[in-house]
Amino acid sequence: MTPAPDLPHPIALRAADPAPPPCPRCRTAVLLVARYPHTWHNRSGEPVHGLRESVLCASCDPDDPAAAGLLALFADGGLPAPATSDALGPHLRTWLTAVRRRAPHRADLDAEEARWRAGEL
């Protein structure tokens, strides 16, 4: 998988309010969902364009340095107050840059496929 380069792309953000979706890692409610363009190459080497989503989770992401600033802004629950909205941009950019560069671990994908085949997902 080849992540898309760090070029300006349309990014859809939504706060997890009023009905937050569950975190795909731990199943607790997430704070923020980001959807952005993502490109990878298939087996024949052709690019495949699609969308990718990343979530900000208060349970899973406290040890992630890229998420620390956003988690601090969301610490009081919900979207940051207007007084701190100027601080959102740099923290959001740091987090999005980090999550866009991450690739799944093959062992995790294999384990998820095994759970799917077993009917657990």
Side-chain angles (χ1 to χ4, degrees):
M1 233 182 254
T2 306
D6 291 333
L7 299 174
H9 292 288
I11 297 170
L13 294 176
R14 71 178 169 96
D17 186 41
C23 174
R25 296 167 284 179
C26 71
R27 308 310 293 166
T28 62
V30 300
L31 300 171
L32 183 70
V33 179
R35 178 180 269 189
Y36 46 89
H38 181 70
T39 302
W40 63 94
H41 293 86
N42 63 19
R43 288 184 182 193
S44 64
E46 296 295 320
V48 178
H49 304 285
L51 294 173
R52 184 173 172 187
E53 278 191 351
S54 294
V55 298
L56 179 67
C57 176
S59 297
C60 296
D61 295 328
D63 295 331
D64 180 358
L70 278 178
L71 289 173
L73 291 175
F74 280 88
D76 294 329
L79 282 171
T84 60
S85 63
D86 289 342
L88 183 64
H91 296 301
L92 186 59
R93 196 169 12 266
T94 298
W95 177 70
L96 282 173
T97 299
V99 297
R100 289 180 76 174
R101 290 182 178 162
R102 291 181 186 149
H105 295 93
R106 186 67 200 179
D108 293 341
L109 289 175
D110 291 342
E112 186 172 333
E113 179 185 3
R115 289 193 338 252
W116 177 78
R117 291 186 183 278
E120 297 173 12
L121 294 179

